[in-house]
Amino acid sequence: MDKIKVMTVFGTRPEAIKMAPLIKELKLNKNIECVVTVTAQHREMLDQVLNLFEIRTDYDLDIMSNQQTLVDITVNVLKKLDLVIKKETPDLILVHGDTTTTLIGALSSYYNQIDIGHVEAGLRTNNKYSPFPEEMNRHLTGVLADLNFAPTINNKKNLLEENISEDKIFVTGNTVIDAIKEVVKDNYQFQNENLKEINWQGKKVILMTAHRRENIGKGFKEIFKAVNTIIKNNPTAEFVFPLHLNPLVRKAAYKYLKANDKVHLIEPLVYEEFANLMNRAYFIMTDSGGIQEEAPGLGKPVLVLRDTTERQEAVEAGTVKKVGVKEKNIVREADRLFKNRKAYLQMAEAINPYGDGKAVQRIVDFILFRYKLKGVKPESFQGG
Ligand code: UD1
Ligand code: UDP
């Protein structure tokens, strides 16, 4: 065999951002034929990334529906992806992370007895319902996978504890570091009209995002009330909140925050704009997973609006603090970042536990090694 067929399967914004540099590398390799399949579990937010990184898709399952349930995503992806896999019969299918697309991508590959590579494997909270359903999506994908690309040594340990054999695990760093390196620039000029209008000198801008299923309802109410209180307590505070397109997120955000003119409720930003906004913000409040990996490298404190995190390395690095979803705790920690310079600087140190920008090269090299297209096993990230 002198060439293998590798199919990538992804469907949401974060998967696309983190798979984009890998697809580029796969396509450049003469020993690999790369087939790109998107489930389009997200539509507009996926297309933003595909356009930015100029990714041409071979198959688009176009499954997104308004306020889709987990069952909708599961059933639609399973049925449509099976047809593509049967037509293409790839040697290896690569899925990414922890979405329902990830799990069903892996399950469909298994049903067709095709090797599965799981990129960003081994992150755990060990709490079945938090994040929901991501913790189980990631766990079950790990059980099915033939190759687990773990971003960190800690992620590898998690897999070993679950009796995944060591020869199925390779430590690579996180591909998001490869992606963000491509887009963050000093002196970046924003294109977005809302961002152009912000008084960056006079204000301390907090970047905020929120979308987790388990925060819908009570969690959002507490978080958004906290935002209003933080603004009351800190006259220089101004929030930029690019809203996720989930109608339930938007409804709650408008209900609690629309009346506050120091909160900019804006549409999802193109990744390039968002990454540079992170780089310009004073600090970040979020329930996102990916942002916890990006912010440490940029030296931006992150208050995580969740009760659990699978990004323990960022907590240990000191940049990320888990504050949960109670108004009073969120306000206390945000006020501290405004009023206590020492506390702020301790969190604002740029440390990057997630990679050196070479994750995708390691993944491709390991695939070539595993399929005997390369003789030497590549070096893992941090010798892990
Ligand atoms: C999904 C993932 C979550 C990931 C998040 C990243 C699952 C179960 N959830 O959650 O792990 O952290 O993506 O953002 O896999 N919508 C649009 N346009 C879009 C995207 C979404 O209109 O481009 C709306 C639709 O009404 C859709 C709803 O948002 O039904 C929810 O989308 P869904 O993918 O089910 O959940 P997310 O909260 O986005
Ligand atoms: N992001 C973006 N535009 C936005 C908000 C986020 O490009 O308006 C990026 C962000 O930099 C990160 C990813 O989207 O890379 C995170 O996606 P999300 O929070 O939706 O999902 P999660 O990481 O929680 O799964």
Side-chain angles (χ1 to χ4, degrees), residues 66-129:
N66 192 30
Q67 292 191 42
Q68 60 204 0
T69 63
L70 297 178
V71 172
D72 292 332
I73 307 168
T74 301
V75 171
N76 291 327
V77 173
L78 199 56
K79 279 199 160 167
K80 290 190 167 180
L81 187 55
D82 188 60
L83 302 176
V84 176
I85 294 175
K86 286 196 162 63
K87 183 164 170 228
E88 287 291 334
T89 61
D91 299 290
L92 173 69
I93 291 184
L94 291 177
V95 294
H96 180 281
D98 61 6
T99 70
T100 298
T101 286
T102 316
L103 173 61
I104 306 308
L107 187 62
S108 312
S109 316
Y110 171 68
Y111 284 167
N112 285 284
Q113 300 191 15
I114 289 183
D115 286 357
I116 302 157
H118 186 197
V119 181
E120 201 184 82
L123 285 70
R124 295 287 184 273
T125 63
N126 291 315
N127 179 335
K128 192 172 166 181
Y129 290 109

Side-chain angles (χ1 to χ4, degrees), residues 78-360:
L78 199 56
K79 279 199 160 167
K80 290 190 167 180
L81 187 55
D82 188 60
L83 302 176
V84 176
I85 294 175
K86 286 196 162 63
K87 183 164 170 228
E88 287 291 334
T89 61
D91 299 290
L92 173 69
I93 291 184
L94 291 177
V95 294
H96 180 281
D98 61 6
T99 70
T100 298
T101 286
T102 316
L103 173 61
I104 306 308
L107 187 62
S108 312
S109 316
Y110 171 68
Y111 284 167
N112 285 284
Q113 300 191 15
I114 289 183
D115 286 357
I116 302 157
H118 186 197
V119 181
E120 201 184 82
L123 285 70
R124 295 287 184 273
T125 63
N126 291 315
N127 179 335
K128 192 172 166 181
Y129 290 109
S130 181
F132 173 79
E134 290 82 4
E135 177 69 5
M136 274 300 122
N137 284 346
R138 208 186 282 273
H139 193 101
L140 296 169
T141 303
V143 173
L144 293 168
D146 302 279
L147 303 176
N148 289 277
F149 298 105
T152 68
I153 293 173
N154 186 36
N155 302 147
K156 176 178 173 177
K157 273 195 204 135
N158 290 337
L159 294 167
L160 290 173
E161 275 169 22
E162 290 165 16
N163 295 322
I164 309 268
S165 71
E166 193 164 7
D167 65 348
K168 288 185 177 177
I169 311 169
F170 189 60
V171 181
T172 59
N174 197 306
T175 61
V176 80
I177 304 300
D178 305 36
I180 203 163
K181 279 193 170 194
E182 228 181 283
V183 295
V184 169
K185 296 184 180 79
D186 292 338
N187 306 319
Y188 179 84
Q189 306 278 331
F190 292 115
Q191 303 299 310
N192 182 284
E193 291 304 323
N194 296 285
L195 300 182
K196 278 188 195 169
E197 279 166 18
I198 287 174
N199 169 8
W200 293 98
Q201 260 68 50
K203 295 286 176 190
K204 286 197 164 121
V205 174
I206 304 165
L207 171 58
M208 153 114 184
T209 78
H211 72 81
R212 297 237 85 81
R213 265 181 163 77
E214 65 271 23
N215 280 344
I216 291 173
K218 194 161 170 278
F220 282 163
K221 186 176 170 186
E222 292 273 324
I223 293 168
F224 299 152
K225 277 166 67 186
V227 169
N228 287 323
T229 311
I230 293 164
I231 290 170
K232 237 184 253 158
N233 294 353
N234 302 282
T236 56
E238 195 153 314
F239 277 74
V240 178
F241 183 178
L243 289 171
H244 190 288
L245 289 179
N246 186 336
L248 299 174
V249 176
R250 301 170 76 82
K251 200 171 158 211
Y254 275 107
K255 179 173 170 193
Y256 292 101
L257 299 174
K258 183 83 182 101
N260 194 329
D261 62 4
K262 288 189 171 175
V263 182
H264 304 268
L265 297 177
I266 64 175
E267 293 308 309
L269 289 167
V270 174
Y271 183 55
E272 196 174 22
E273 294 269 285
F274 188 84
N276 283 284
L277 175 57
M278 276 196 279
N279 200 28
R280 195 80 53 90
Y282 184 59
F283 67 87
I284 300 169
M285 286 176 32
T286 188
D287 64 5
S288 162
I291 293 171
Q292 295 176 58
E293 295 155 346
E294 294 165 327
L298 301 172
K300 296 296 167 181
V302 181
L303 301 183
V304 178
L305 309 168
R306 293 170 50 177
D307 293 321
T308 60
T309 179
E310 59 290 79
R311 271 81 179 183
Q312 208 49 45
E313 299 83 353
V315 175
E316 279 156 25
T319 332
V320 164
K321 192 173 224 175
K322 207 173 51 178
V323 296
V325 287
K326 294 246 173 3
E327 180 189 352
K328 80 170 182 344
N329 296 341
I330 300 168
V331 171
R332 186 191 63 236
E333 293 302 326
D335 282 354
R336 215 161 77 88
L337 289 175
F338 274 99
K339 291 174 180 146
N340 183 336
R341 188 74 191 146
K342 198 168 154 218
Y344 178 85
L345 290 175
Q346 265 172 3
M347 283 185 82
E349 237 181 301
I351 301 171
N352 181 355
Y354 287 112
D356 53 5
K358 295 179 186 155
V360 301

